């Protein structure tokens, strides 16, 4: 379809219509009752793709979308005013370009104003420097994708940032200023820290002090966060952070929440010093009335610290006050510690429940982060439950959080299998196999083999053995449909054993033929069990064929099988 024809076709849509249509086109193929991890990510990508496509068409062709049938009116779905209206060379035109985040256009307009001999106000200059430094002297279109990592497949490129270019427009404009105040230095220092020019940021700070200017709280917060990147040793990093805090005190700059958060984030990269200095930092925050710091008072070990912190936070509703705010780090780290300590201390199960209750308060769950972070948190929580809780409680949580909150990976399903084994509830394994198929993990041979091994390990009641055999046949049908999945000798043995116990001799014999077809060797125990079943069924021909099968594999147990067959069966001369 030609471009003009395409726009003619969509011109009759309202803005909300177009957004919904493109959203539907991109997501309809991904909507399933239960999404696998890869499909969940594909679904999220499709959502973002639909929105981006609609936004691109609307913003580039706003005149085509004059109809708005939405009730109520939704401003965020209407075309953005992104086209420049002021073309003359003026400070107002420069402000317009800054407001619309047109970095290149704003720099060009600033240069034209200087060439025309027009003085730009310091306030507008501050705004221009902020814009250039925020986007590292690039138009934001080049950097927007870095902000769209939520619920997206993580790639190496996601963790790359734009680097600070030497002598870029921010530095050039800064050097052209007849007078430079703290605000100008603040814009450049924060931009340098944001875009990886850490050493240059400290050099700029030294230059500011030499010009007898006082730093603001934003400069100190940025430099503190950059401290671990300009020092190699842990103690040197902390010494630099402490020196910056002392300079704040000398310059009478009051720290804010972002300052202390920068200290705590940097302490995570200070090794053994982190624990002690973090407690001091929290005490300082509490003394200044900043944030809602939970201060462990007399904690001696990690468990005590966690208990005190969670007790302090219990029942609170959290709101974001820092750009990096989110419970994902906090809850994931706490869950990890609980998981590690839970092997020896039953109180850590209580700690896990307290952390989960904290997530359940109000809308705190929104602060868990994206789907990846949520999966880490709930995976650790579910692992803790499987290790330490009664199976009935585990299954209650299993039904509650899977798959709506937690889409378990194969390890999560192994944790559940071990919990079922611990509490002797192996009769539930067939239903767990159905979930494994639904979750898309039926193509994991190791997981399937573990499931089959638990079912085949010991004998159960006839009803349970019948359900196990049906489950084993279903596993076989799944593997038959996927030739790429390699049968292991153990899996073949487990299925054959389960079929024999359920008196499904014909299907069990078919499984024995698979050993030969897949170049796998049956165990001596399996062949002896099969011979016993042949004796129970009074089938000497099958016994002879079993001995012949063993001989075909050149198994050392063949002579023992032959001896048993001769002793236990009434064979014809030809069979003998």
């Amino acid at each position: 379809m030609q471009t003009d024809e395409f726009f003619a076709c969509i011109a009759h849509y309202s803005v909300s219509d177009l957004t919904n249509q493109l959203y539907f086109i991109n997501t309809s193929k991904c909507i399933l009752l239960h999404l696998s991890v890869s499909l969940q990510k594909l679904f999220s990508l499709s959502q973002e793709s639909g929105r981006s496509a609609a936004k691109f068409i609307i913003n580039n062709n706003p005149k085509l979308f004059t109809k708005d049938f939405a009730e109520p009116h939704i401003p965020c779905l209407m075309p953005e005013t992104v086209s420049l209206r002021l073309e003359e060379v003026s400070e107002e035109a420069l402000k317009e370009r800054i407001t619309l985040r047109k970095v290149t256009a704003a720099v060009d307009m600033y240069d034209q104003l200087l060439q025309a001999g027009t003085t730009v106000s310091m306030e507008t200059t501050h705004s221009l420097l902020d814009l250039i430094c925020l986007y590292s002297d690039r138009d934001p279109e080049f950097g927007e994708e870095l902000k769209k990592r939520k619920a997206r497949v993580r790639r190496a490129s996601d963790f790359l940032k734009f680097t600070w270019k030497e002598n870029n427009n921010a530095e050039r404009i800064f050097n052209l200023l007849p007078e430079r105040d703290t605000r100008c230095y603040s814009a450049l220092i924060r931009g340098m820290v944001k875009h990886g020019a850490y050493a240059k940021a400290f050099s700029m700070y030294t230059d500011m002090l030499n010009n007898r200017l006082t730093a603001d709280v934003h400069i100190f917060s940025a430099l503190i966060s950059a401290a671990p990147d300009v020092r190699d040793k842990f103690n040197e990093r902390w010494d630099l952070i402490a020196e910056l805090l002392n300079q704040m005190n000398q310059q009478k700059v009051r720290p804010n929440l972002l300052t202390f958060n920068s200290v705590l984030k940097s302490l995570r990269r200070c090794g053994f010093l982190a624990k002690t200095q973090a407690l001091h930092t929290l005490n300082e925050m509490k003394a200044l009335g900043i944030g809602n710091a939970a201060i462990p008072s007399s904690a001696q070990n990690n468990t005590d610290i966690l208990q005190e912190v969670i007790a302090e936070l219990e029942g609170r509703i959290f709101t974001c006050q820092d750009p990096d705010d989110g419970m994902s780090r906090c809850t994931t780290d706490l869950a990890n510690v609980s998981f590690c300590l839970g092997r020896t201390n039953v109180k850590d199960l209580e700690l896990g429940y307290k952390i989960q209750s904290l997530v359940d308060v109000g809308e705190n769950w929104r602060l868990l982060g994206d789907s990846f972070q949520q999966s880490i948190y709930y995976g650790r929580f579910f692992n803790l439950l499987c290790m330490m809780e009664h199976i009935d409680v585990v299954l209650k949580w299993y039904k509650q959080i899977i798959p709506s909150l937690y889409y378990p990976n194969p390890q999560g399903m192994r944790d559940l299998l071990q919990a079922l084994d611990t509490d002797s509830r192996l009769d539930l394994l067939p239903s767990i196999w159905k979930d494994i198929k639904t979750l898309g993990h039926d193509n994991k041979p190791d997981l399937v083999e573990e499931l089959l091994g638990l079912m085949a390990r010991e004998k159960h009641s006839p009803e349970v053995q019948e359900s196990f055999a049906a489950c084993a046949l279903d596993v076989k049908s799944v593997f038959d449909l996927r030739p790429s999945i390699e049968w292991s000798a153990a899996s073949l043995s487990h299925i054959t054993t389960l079929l024999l116990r359920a008196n499904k001799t014909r299907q069990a014999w078919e499984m024995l033929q698979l050993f030969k077809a897949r170049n796998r060797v049956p165990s001596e125990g399996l062949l002896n069990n099969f011979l016993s079943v042949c004796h129970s069924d009074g089938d000497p021909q099958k016994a002879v064929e079993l001995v012949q099968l063993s001989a075909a594999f050149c198994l050392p147990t063949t002579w023992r099988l032959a001896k048993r067959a001769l002793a236990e069966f009434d064979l014809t001369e030809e069979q003998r």
Side-chain angles (χ1 to χ4, degrees), residues 5-14 18 57 61 64-65:
E5 294 175 351
F6 172 74
F7 287 132
C9 289
I10 66 172
H12 69 281
Y13 281 105
S14 70
L18 180 65
I57 294 172
N61 304 274
L64 295 175
F65 301 96

Side-chain angles (χ1 to χ4, degrees), residues 60-74:
N60 284 275
N61 304 274
K63 296 179 181 179
L64 295 175
F65 301 96
T66 57
K67 299 178 182 179
D68 182 18
F69 303 115
E71 291 293 341
H73 174 71
I74 307 175

Side-chain angles (χ1 to χ4, degrees), residues 276-537:
T276 304
Q277 300 303 336
L279 294 177
H280 291 163
T281 303
L282 291 173
N283 280 313
E284 191 68 22
M285 290 176 68
K286 191 169 186 178
L288 293 174
I290 294 175
N292 295 314
I295 318 293
S297 54
S298 58
Q300 298 298 319
N301 54 53
N302 289 341
T303 307
D304 294 333
I305 291 177
L306 284 171
Q307 294 282 3
E308 290 194 35
V309 169
I310 295 302
E312 179 74 19
L313 297 177
E314 189 173 0
R316 292 190 184 182
I317 296 178
F318 296 97
T319 55
C320 293
Q321 301 180 57
D322 185 303
D324 293 331
D325 267 350
M327 284 181 61
S328 56
R329 282 182 186 168
C330 172
T331 51
T332 302
D333 288 346
L334 292 175
N336 277 329
V337 175
S338 296
F339 163 74
C340 295
L341 298 178
R343 301 179 185 275
T344 57
N345 192 338
V346 72
K347 288 194 298 183
D348 293 318
L349 179 60
E350 300 174 12
L351 181 60
Y353 278 128
K354 288 179 180 179
I355 296 171
Q356 177 58 29
S357 66
L358 185 63
V359 175
D360 289 336
V361 174
E363 294 190 344
N364 287 348
W365 61 271
R366 294 183 180 276
L367 300 177
L368 278 175
D370 61 21
S371 60
F372 178 74
Q373 293 288 347
Q374 289 181 31
S375 179
I376 292 176
Y377 168 71
Y378 280 110
R380 289 301 189 187
F381 178 61
F382 187 67
N383 176 275
L384 183 64
L385 292 172
C386 289
M387 257 196 324
M388 306 188 65
E389 191 56 277
H390 188 272
I391 189 61
D392 290 337
V393 179
V394 173
L395 292 174
K396 174 191 167 195
W397 279 100
Y398 177 76
K399 294 176 182 177
Q400 182 176 332
I401 66 176
I402 295 173
S404 57
L405 297 176
Y406 170 50
Y407 207 92
N409 56 19
Q411 183 56 49
M413 298 309 294
R414 285 193 187 91
D415 294 338
L416 179 59
L417 294 179
Q418 292 169 8
L420 291 169
D421 185 20
T422 301
D423 282 351
S424 301
R425 291 302 307 274
L426 298 182
D427 56 296
L428 298 175
L429 289 176
S431 64
I432 300 303
W433 162 247
K434 293 179 181 178
D435 291 343
I436 289 175
K437 285 203 303 179
T438 302
L439 294 168
H441 296 320
D442 53 350
N443 60 346
K444 307 295 189 299
D446 292 343
L447 177 62
V448 177
E449 183 176 318
E450 184 169 346
L451 174 86
L452 292 170
L454 288 174
M455 290 193 292
R457 189 177 61 193
E458 55 196 26
K459 290 184 179 180
H460 297 270
S461 66
E463 295 80 8
V464 173
Q465 289 297 162
E466 189 67 31
S467 67
F468 281 1
C471 179
L473 287 174
D474 193 36
V475 172
K476 177 181 180 297
S477 67
V478 169
F479 273 48
D480 288 343
L481 291 173
R482 296 179 176 175
S484 60
I485 300 179
E486 286 290 330
W487 280 101
S488 67
S491 294
L492 288 170
S493 297
H494 295 328
I495 292 179
T496 307
T497 299
L498 291 169
L499 293 174
L500 287 174
R501 288 177 183 167
N503 298 319
K504 298 183 183 296
T505 310
R506 180 179 60 81
Q507 292 96 324
W509 183 256
E510 292 174 358
M511 289 301 301
L512 275 183
Q513 307 311 307
L514 272 180
F515 278 94
K516 188 173 183 180
R518 299 301 177 97
N519 294 317
R520 297 292 183 264
V521 179
S523 65
E524 180 177 354
L526 176 63
L527 295 176
N528 276 310
N529 290 339
F530 207 106
L531 191 62
S532 298
V533 172
C534 292
H535 185 266
S536 300
D537 294 344

Side-chain angles (χ1 to χ4, degrees), residues 19-43:
T19 304
N20 290 333
Q21 289 289 332
L22 290 173
Y23 171 82
F24 175 76
I25 290 170
N26 282 277
T27 61
S28 59
K29 295 182 180 179
C30 300
I31 299 176
L32 301 171
L33 180 60
H34 297 293
L35 296 177
S36 67
V37 175
S38 59
L39 284 180
Q40 279 183 323
K41 294 176 180 178
L42 180 60
F43 177 73

